[in-house]
Amino acid sequence: MSKVVGDVRETPALMVYKNNRTILRLFCFPYAGGGAAAFRMWPAFLPDTVEVCGVQPPGRENRIGEAPIADVHDLVARLLPSLAPWFDKPFVFYGHSTGGLVAFEMIRELRRQQMPLPLHLVVSGARAPHIPEPSPLHNLPREAFIQQLRRFSGTPETVLENSELMEIYIPILRADLAIEEKYTLKKEAPMNIPITAIYGIEDDEAPKSVMAPWKRYTTDSFELIGLQGGHFFINTARSAFLSCLSRITDFFQ
């Protein structure tokens, strides 16, 4: 199923795929090295009333001239002023891998500031916040770093072998991976927001065992879903994955 996507509005920290029938906004936090463009095709597979808002961290795409941020709290503080005006409609947060952790900490900051909260948190391919990365790589030497990136199967081989592209891409990836690998969880009360955790059945980076513990971070409902694929099942099993997102967003309309 596909449809014509409406106007795209670009802000410093958002790529908003405008929809004149918007009832619900879906804020999408990208994986390490990713940007808002990763979500550009999603509106075609989600309900007409869902407005997709791709979050744009510094250091990529239209923010390529800015230094990437390697600390989740600094990143949340940087993003929040640009996102806040878009919280005037009901909204849901979604994040994949590193983006799941950023979405989680954004909710905690919203709660501290008594700002509007999302109706639901959806995370995919993201270890529960208290589970550290077992094999950190953000500080590895260049060649070892590139070799280790292959284990995620998220960066095309043509990019990994392009020295000029990697000169640009490596600092972004190092910063994004450091967000997870240097993260220390601060003890706070669980959220009163439903959480859905989606994992790839063949994903060695974020398997079911490290996704299921997201349950401890909510006093509301929790759902754990396994889909066929590895760490980037959101691309290889896109139809099944977006069907899950569509079902979740339908609930709030």
Side-chain angles (χ1 to χ4, degrees), residues 95-115:
H96 182 72
S97 197
T98 301
L101 179 61
V102 179
F104 171 74
E105 281 295 342
M106 180 68 76
I107 293 173
R108 289 178 133 198
E109 183 60 25
L110 293 177
R111 185 171 64 175
R112 292 183 202 109
Q113 296 193 30
Q114 298 184 326
M115 295 177 68

Side-chain angles (χ1 to χ4, degrees), residues 48-195:
D48 290 340
T49 49
V50 175
E51 187 168 75
V52 176
C53 301
V55 177
Q56 191 76 287
R60 67 220 70 203
E61 298 175 12
N62 64 315
R63 306 186 74 179
I64 192 68
E66 302 176 50
I69 296 174
D71 177 85
V72 70
H73 303 291
D74 292 344
L75 180 58
V76 165
R78 183 78 167 272
L79 291 173
L80 183 52
S82 293
L83 269 57
W86 295 86
F87 296 157
D88 59 331
K89 290 183 180 290
F91 61 97
V92 168
F93 275 2
Y94 162 75
H96 182 72
S97 197
T98 301
L101 179 61
V102 179
F104 171 74
E105 281 295 342
M106 180 68 76
I107 293 173
R108 289 178 133 198
E109 183 60 25
L110 293 177
R111 185 171 64 175
R112 292 183 202 109
Q113 296 193 30
Q114 298 184 326
M115 295 177 68
L117 297 177
L119 301 175
H120 202 111
L121 170 62
V122 184
V123 293
S124 62
R127 295 181 310 280
H130 62 282
I131 301 177
E133 165 59 55
S135 303
L137 64 145
H138 75 276
N139 271 335
L140 290 177
R142 177 190 169 91
E143 293 309 314
F145 181 75
I146 292 174
Q147 184 59 36
Q148 285 298 307
L149 288 177
R150 290 183 168 92
R151 80 183 197 220
F152 295 97
S153 301
T155 307
E157 193 63 29
T158 53
V159 174
L160 293 174
E161 293 179 354
N162 187 313
S163 297
E164 292 183 1
L165 280 177
M166 290 308 290
E167 283 299 318
I168 299 170
Y169 200 41
I170 284 177
I172 300 168
L173 280 167
R174 287 192 189 278
D176 287 359
L177 291 168
I179 284 175
E180 288 185 75
E181 296 172 1
K182 297 171 68 176
Y183 176 73
T184 300
L185 177 68
K186 298 178 181 178
K187 188 174 181 179
E188 292 185 17
M191 303 177 292
N192 187 26
I193 296 171
I195 296 178

Side-chain angles (χ1 to χ4, degrees), residues 128 195 211-220 222:
I195 296 178
M211 295 289 295
W214 274 99
K215 183 176 183 179
R216 72 169 63 179
Y217 295 97
T218 179
T219 57
D220 206 303
F222 175 77

